[in-house]
Amino acid sequence: MYPSIATVCLSGTLREKVSAISQAGFKHIEIFENDLVSFDGSIKEAASMIRDFGLQVVTLQPFRDFEGLQGKDRQLAFDRAKLKFDQMHELDTDLLMVCSSTHPRAQGGIAQLADDFNELGELAAARNMRVAYEALAWGSHIHDYRDSWEVVRQANHSAVGLVLDTFHIFSRGTELHAISNIPGDRIFLVQTADAPSLSMDHLSWSRHYRCFPGQGELTINAFMQALASTGYKGPLSHEIFNDIFRRSEPLQTAQDGYRSSQFLMSMLPEHKNDVPEPTHLSGFDFIEIATQSKHLSRLQALLQAVGFRRVGTHRNMQAEHWQCNDVQFVLNSDPHFADQFLEKRGTGVVALGLKVDSTYATTKRANFIGMPVVEPEQVNALHNMVGMQNVDGTVWYWVDTSTSQHAFDSAFNKQDENADSHNPSIITQIDHISLSQSYPDFLSTLLSFRSLFELNISPAFDVFDPQGLIQSQVIYNSDSSFQLAFNASDAKSTTSAQFIQRAKGSGVQHLALRTDDIFTCAQSLVDAGVACIRIPENYYPDLQARFGLESSVCHKLKRYNILYDEDDKGGFYQLYTQPIDGRFYFEFVQRQGYTGLGAANAWLRAAAQQISN
Ligand code: MG
Ligand code: MG
């Protein structure tokens, strides 16, 4: 199998699309009919442009409303097919993709449809061409791949084959088992798309919400295993209709598409030995904050208040290593570094460390997927960490748990300045990280993490910010030691959108640190003069009534502006600091068995932040 992508996936003119697709590394392309018809030039010129970009056309698509017609309608459909064959000749492709009919006068009946395809096969074969039949999920008579396969089988013509499209298969919940019984050489084209789980009609779901495999919730891996068992060797071609892609930079979309293709390839048995499995994460290793010097003392005070100590200073940069139990921060205020990041973005998270079992395997997989890998020599580093450059500018390093400390030993001089600090070490781990991103960056980052690491994905949910909707989704590992929340919003002034404006781009919006003692944590922050977000008073009587909390507990929650939620496993406490420079902020959480990230309170937090702003 080899990667391909349909022009319909990208925004722009045909030339812009073809250029981006070529630049992203593809060698094969599907031409969407509308892109060809709207091209400002002859088909010959389009064909030579596509060739000049080093691309080969795998199919012209879609050919609609062909089968099941009578009389004049049928004659017109065959005449249209002849025109398409002429265009395909110019495009130097031999495959016409026919999707199942939604024509109001089309009739069903496998035998008649098979006759139509046999006749079309004859026409195609006379020109050394082929046709492939796809069951649209909303086709009038054929909407199941098992039926389109039966039509192809009964057409009994070597120039007539099958299209399998993952969206159409999964959106109707069709079982995958029958795929294994189809001979691989009878499948002429495989189109791939993922999608979020949504309840809506198939057509709207398909036209607006398809996404690249790795960005949605369909079980694409199961499809790939069934497909591999057929012996299919043809194109594996993305066909995505997505409202976000339609307005995104075509190059970023094409690059994500290429990585998604590689992600699919990594699932195939033929790559079992040369591409490592998705990496198991076992939590966060460190967080590096680039800080303007005016924010440094505020960050130091905050960390010190909750029991962090400054344990090292960088050997050749103005950077400090802070630690509390196994939780580590780097505060980087180096003026040289400032030129590169701070002037562009201001104080914020610049890098994060992820704990992995094998950095070698992770790097090998990242290179196969086509992730931009950052090597230590590229960043002039004293450490030897390797990581990925995310689309939002942050670098996510992967760190072997066994050698984690080595990176700090090699780059930092040890010290223990705060040895006399009386603040108890109450932070036990990084609970979760929350990103605010533009929609294109949201999808791109989702793909990066899910193609590289072994992660689960939660269903998307809406947070009702007073200024508009924020779409939120969480990816997490098996024991929830890694939880990453994504947020994106189209509204102009939601808390999420404001972060992106102030930070001049997507990035880490908040860091949640876990404690076993939220009240001590809250008091320590008060004592250190760290301002927290004030929660509206009306919240607390409501909370008390909902969960039957003791008055004294509720009073304490209110005093410290702590939010509370429960699930069937236990309670959850949340406390938010005021944002630094209007940008990123800290959250402190305590879990008593609770498994979520406090989604039930997200709307209230957003409202409280809007009041504070
Ligand atoms: Mg399709
Ligand atoms: Mg949070």
Side-chain angles (χ1 to χ4, degrees), residues 65-224:
D65 294 338
F66 160 72
E67 76 282 23
L69 295 172
Q70 316 293 321
K72 182 143 191 284
D73 287 333
R74 188 170 190 271
Q75 190 51 51
L76 281 173
F78 274 89
D79 290 346
R80 264 196 306 129
K82 287 175 195 160
L83 171 71
K84 292 297 142 189
F85 290 144
D86 291 343
Q87 295 176 345
M88 285 158 55
H89 178 73
E90 308 234 27
L91 286 172
D92 196 21
T93 182
D94 73 341
L95 188 64
L96 181 66
M97 199 214 86
V98 184
C99 58
S100 59
S101 184
T102 59
H103 193 291
R105 291 187 292 280
Q107 294 174 2
I110 301 270
Q112 190 207 328
L113 306 184
D115 283 349
D116 289 344
F117 272 97
N118 181 282
E119 202 172 323
L120 188 63
E122 276 298 300
L123 274 181
R127 301 167 184 236
N128 279 330
M129 287 180 177
R130 303 173 300 150
V131 296
Y133 188 36
E134 171 187 61
L136 283 185
W138 54 91
S140 305
H141 301 285
I142 300 292
H143 42 66
D144 182 320
Y145 77 90
R146 293 167 298 190
D147 291 333
S148 52
W149 165 234
E150 192 52 24
V151 171
V152 167
R153 206 181 62 79
Q154 290 189 25
N156 194 23
H157 198 292
S158 60
V160 179
L162 186 68
V163 180
L164 292 176
D165 179 312
T166 58
F167 181 85
H168 296 306
I169 294 171
F170 283 110
S171 65
R172 295 196 72 102
T174 319
E175 55 91 11
L176 301 173
H177 182 71
I179 293 174
S180 312
N181 299 326
I182 304 171
D185 60 0
R186 304 302 300 138
I187 304 169
F188 286 180
L189 179 67
V190 173
Q191 291 182 316
T192 51
D194 203 339
S197 295
L198 296 169
S199 288
M200 56 168 49
D201 70 278
H202 297 116
L203 180 59
S204 308
W205 190 12
S206 172
R207 290 281 160 81
H208 302 283
Y209 296 99
R210 285 183 179 219
C211 53
F212 288 128
Q215 295 175 330
E217 296 162 56
L218 306 180
T219 51
I220 303 285
N221 197 348
F223 171 83
M224 292 301 292

Side-chain angles (χ1 to χ4, degrees), residues 7 34 118 136 157 159-160 179 194 197 220 223 240 261 282 303 345 399 463 531 545 567 598-599:
T7 52
N34 296 17
N118 181 282
L136 283 185
H157 198 292
V160 179
I179 293 174
D194 203 339
S197 295
I220 303 285
F223 171 83
I240 319 288
S261 293
S282 45
L303 290 179
R345 304 292 305 267
V399 183
V463 174
D567 64 11

Side-chain angles (χ1 to χ4, degrees), residues 293-453:
S293 48
K294 62 182 176 188
H295 299 130
L296 180 62
S297 58
R298 198 166 150 198
L299 284 164
Q300 289 168 328
L302 186 150
L303 290 179
Q304 200 170 342
V306 293
F308 281 84
R309 289 169 168 194
R310 182 164 51 196
V311 294
T313 49
H314 199 277
R315 292 186 205 277
N316 57 15
M317 276 179 119
Q318 218 164 287
E320 304 172 348
H321 175 200
W322 287 72
Q323 188 164 14
C324 178
N325 295 311
D326 287 335
V327 185
Q328 314 195 74
F329 277 89
V330 173
L331 301 182
N332 191 336
S333 56
D334 193 84
H336 174 68
F337 197 72
D339 291 343
Q340 297 170 14
F341 184 88
L342 285 168
E343 275 180 17
K344 243 189 291 165
R345 304 292 305 267
T347 297
V349 174
V350 62
L352 299 99
L354 300 169
K355 291 181 188 169
V356 301
D357 295 335
S358 162
T359 54
Y360 170 75
T362 310
T363 305
K364 195 169 176 191
R365 183 170 176 86
N367 283 325
F368 180 84
I369 300 286
M371 296 303 307
V373 169
V374 180
E375 304 276 356
E377 44 291 1
Q378 284 168 260
V379 286
N380 254 337
L382 288 181
H383 63 71
N384 54 4
M385 295 184 294
V386 181
M388 69 170 173
Q389 175 89 52
N390 195 37
V391 65
D392 60 13
T394 49
V395 179
W396 295 72
Y397 290 103
W398 33 87
V399 183
D400 276 320
T401 29
S402 60
T403 58
S404 155
Q405 202 52 46
H406 179 72
F408 283 103
D409 293 346
S410 59
F412 289 83
N413 286 318
K414 268 202 191 325
Q415 65 173 101
D416 195 352
E417 266 188 22
N418 313 97
D420 56 342
S421 166
H422 297 300
N423 293 327
S425 303
I426 49 173
I427 301 302
T428 55
Q429 70 178 82
I430 295 167
D431 188 85
H432 63 273
I433 302 284
S434 182
L435 309 173
S436 271
Q437 299 189 301
S438 68
Y439 271 105
D441 291 353
F442 179 124
L443 285 172
S444 188
T445 307
L446 203 54
L447 175 70
S448 300
F449 276 88
R450 292 187 65 216
S451 58
L452 216 46
F453 305 113

